[in-house]
Amino acid sequence: MLNTVKKYHLALFYVIYICFCLASNFVHPVTPAFLQLINCSNSMFGFAYSAMALGQFLTSALWGKVGDKIGYSKAIALGFFGYAFSALVFSMAKGPTLVIAGRFIAGCVVSSIQVNSMAYLTSIDAPMEERNSLLVLYASLQSICSAFGFLVGGLIGDFSVYYSFYAQIAALTVTGIITLVFIHEHSAFKKSEDKLTLKDVNPFTSIIQSTKILNVVVAVFLVSTLVTWFASAGFDQNFNYYLRAKFNFAPSSSGMFKAAVGLISLTVNMTINMWIVKKTNVSKSLCAVVALAGVSILAMVFSQTQTQVMVFALMYYAFYAIYLPLQQAVMLKNDDKSSKGAVSGLFNAAKSFGMMAGPLFAGLVFDINPDYAFMTFGAGLIIGAIICYVNYKMLVKKGNE
C-alpha cells in the first residue's frame, strides 16, 4: 500500500502531468494559421512534425540514462524548461529554418518528459496491481487533458496566435519550477553510478541488438506496425492543416473538434475496447478495426460537404482510439519467452519510423493535392489490416492464439 507521503507526491505529480498535457497542446491548433502567417508552404506542417519525431527518436535513450543518473523528477523538469525554450524558438520563426529548429528541439526535450514520467511511476515501491492502476490513470489523463489543452489553445489563438505561444512558454516554465522544487524521488530510487557513453545513448545500438530475435512472425508484425503508424501519424498531424486549407477553420474550431475526439477516445476505451478484450480474439479484432479506420479516411476524402468530412473523421478517430491498445496487446503475443521483451524495443522503433515517414510524405504531396496524402493513408491502413491478418494466421499456426 502507498503511504501518505507517497500519495501526496503522486497527487502532485499527476497535477503537474495534467498541466503538461494541457500546455503542450496550446500551440497545436494555431500552428496552421501561424505557418500561413509567416508564409510557409503547406508542406511545412508535415516537415515540422517529422523533425520533432526525429528528435524524440534520437534522444529517448539518452534521457533514460540521464534520469537514472540525476533523478527522474529533475530530468522531467529539464524537459519542461527545454520545451518552453523550443516554443520560444518556434514563436520567433519568420521562415522554415526556425520552424524546423524549434520543432526538432521540442522533440529532443519532450522525450525526457515522456521517458522519465513513465519511469517515475514504474519505479514506485508498490504491488503490481497498484502500479498498473497508476499507469491506466496516466494514460487516461493524457488522452482527455491533451484534447482539452488543444481546445484552450485554440480559444486563446483566436485573439492572436502568439498568445498561445506565450501561454505555453509561461505554463511550462512554471511547471518546471514546481517540479524541480516540490517533486522528490521515491525512497527506493537509487542513482546510477554508470558513466554515460556514446554506445549507451546511441538509438541504433539497441535496435541492432534486438534484431537478433527477429523471425518471420515478428517481422510481419513490425511491418504492420510501421504501415499503420505511417498512416496514423500522417493523418493526425496533417488533418488540422487540412481543415484550415479546405474549410478555413479557425483555431478555436479545430480545438473544439479535438476536444470532441478526446471525449470519443475516452468513451470507446472505457466501453468498446473493454468488450473486445474480454469477448473477442484481439488479433482478429485488430484486423477489422484497422480496416474500418482506413475505409473511414477514404470516405472522408470523397465526401462533398464539411459535415460529411467531420463525421467520417470522427469515425476514423474512434477506430484509431480502439486499435492503438489492441496493437500493443498483439505485440505481447509476438513477444515469446525467448525474446525477453526485445520485441517491445523493435515495436517502438517501427512506430517511430512510421511517425517520421507519414507526416514527411504528407508534407511532400500536400502542395500538389492534400487529398492524395489522405487517400494514401486510407489505403495504407487497409494494407496494414491485411498484414495484421497474415500475422494473426502465423500466430495461430505458432500456437500463440
Side-chain angles (χ1 to χ4, degrees):
M1 293 290 290
L2 297 171
N3 59 36
T4 304
V5 175
K6 286 181 179 178
K7 288 180 179 178
Y8 165 76
H9 286 297
L10 268 178
L12 185 56
F13 168 83
Y14 278 122
V15 170
I16 288 171
Y17 188 68
I18 288 171
C19 293
F20 163 68
C21 290
L22 292 170
S24 63
N25 285 276
F26 284 172
V27 172
H28 292 331
V30 305
T31 300
F34 176 70
L35 293 179
Q36 288 182 343
L37 182 66
I38 62 175
N39 297 316
C40 283
S41 66
N42 293 333
S43 60
M44 183 52 59
F45 194 75
F47 295 152
Y49 181 78
S50 293
M52 186 172 180
L54 177 62
Q56 288 177 265
F57 174 73
L58 293 176
T59 58
S60 290
L62 167 63
W63 284 117
K65 293 287 184 179
V66 170
D68 290 337
K69 188 78 174 173
I70 68 172
Y72 303 129
S73 59
K74 290 180 181 178
I76 293 170
L78 288 175
F80 288 141
F81 294 135
Y83 205 162
F85 174 72
S86 75
L88 177 63
V89 174
F90 191 13
S91 70
M92 295 169 61
K94 302 298 181 183
T97 303
L98 284 185
V99 170
I100 296 297
R103 292 292 82 191
F104 179 74
I105 294 170
C108 289
V109 293
V110 77
S111 57
S112 177
I113 303 170
Q114 295 170 336
V115 170
N116 288 291
S117 59
M118 287 286 290
Y120 185 85
L121 288 177
T122 55
S123 66
I124 292 175
D125 184 16
M128 181 63 72
E129 294 78 9
E130 288 192 44
R131 281 186 287 173
N132 286 341
S133 298
L134 294 174
L135 289 172
V136 169
L137 176 60
Y138 175 88
S140 300
L141 287 174
Q142 183 181 32
S143 175
I144 190 65
C145 293
S146 295
F148 189 66
F150 205 101
L151 172 61
V152 173
L155 293 173
I156 295 173
D158 273 356
F159 294 97
S160 168
V161 294
Y162 287 100
Y163 289 172
S164 294
F165 282 100
Y166 302 153
Q168 183 178 74
I169 294 168
L172 289 170
T173 302
V174 172
T175 305
I177 294 171
I178 294 173
T179 303
L180 199 59
V181 175
F182 294 104
I183 296 293
H184 303 296
E185 300 302 329
H186 309 303
S187 57
F189 173 78
K190 293 182 180 180
K191 291 185 179 180
S192 172
E193 300 299 328
D194 296 335
K195 292 184 178 180
L196 291 175
T197 66
L198 289 176
K199 183 178 180 181
D200 289 329
V201 302
N202 185 346
F204 300 102
T205 301
S206 59
I207 298 174
I208 295 171
Q209 292 176 344
S210 297
T211 54
K212 296 176 182 178
I213 57 92
L214 267 181
N215 54 53
V216 177
V217 181
V218 174
V220 170
F221 170 73
L222 293 176
V223 171
S224 72
T225 299
L226 192 153
V227 171
T228 53
W229 275 96
F230 167 85
S232 300
F235 181 95
D236 191 49
Q237 295 304 315
N238 286 274
F239 183 65
N240 191 28
Y241 208 104
Y242 180 77
L243 292 178
R244 178 78 180 180
K246 197 162 187 174
F247 302 115
N248 197 31
F249 253 43
S252 58
S253 298
S254 296
M256 291 176 186
F257 176 80
K258 201 68 174 182
V261 170
L263 291 174
I264 289 173
S265 300
L266 188 62
T267 301
V268 298
N269 272 303
M270 298 293 289
T271 55
I272 297 175
N273 261 357
M274 294 293 186
W275 179 83
I276 288 176
V277 171
K278 292 180 179 179
K279 302 292 185 180
T280 73
N281 181 291
V282 174
S283 298
K284 287 182 70 175
S285 297
L286 175 64
C287 304
V289 176
V290 171
L292 289 170
V295 171
S296 298
I297 293 178
L298 292 177
M300 183 200 80
V301 173
F302 292 106
S303 295
Q304 300 299 314
T305 67
Q306 178 177 322
T307 301
Q308 291 174 340
V309 168
M310 303 304 283
V311 168
F312 285 118
L314 287 173
M315 287 177 61
Y316 160 75
Y317 276 113
F319 292 126
Y320 171 73
I322 295 171
Y323 75 68
L324 287 186
L326 297 184
Q327 191 175 57
Q328 295 179 37
V330 174
M331 177 195 73
L332 296 177
K333 292 186 177 184
N334 282 272
D335 187 6
D336 58 31
K337 294 180 180 179
S338 63
S339 68
K340 301 187 184 299
V343 169
S344 177
L346 291 174
F347 170 76
N348 284 322
K351 175 180 169 182
S352 296
F353 279 120
M355 289 174 66
M356 286 185 280
L360 181 60
F361 170 78
L364 292 171
V365 302
F366 202 99
D367 284 332
I368 301 173
N369 188 331
D371 286 340
Y372 293 166
F374 290 99
M375 290 171 64
T376 303
F377 296 145
L381 285 175
I382 293 173
I383 294 171
I386 295 171
I387 300 173
C388 285
Y389 185 74
V390 173
N391 179 245
Y392 161 70
K393 298 297 287 184
M394 289 180 168
L395 290 172
V396 170
K397 188 175 181 179
K398 192 177 178 181
N400 286 22
E401 287 290 351

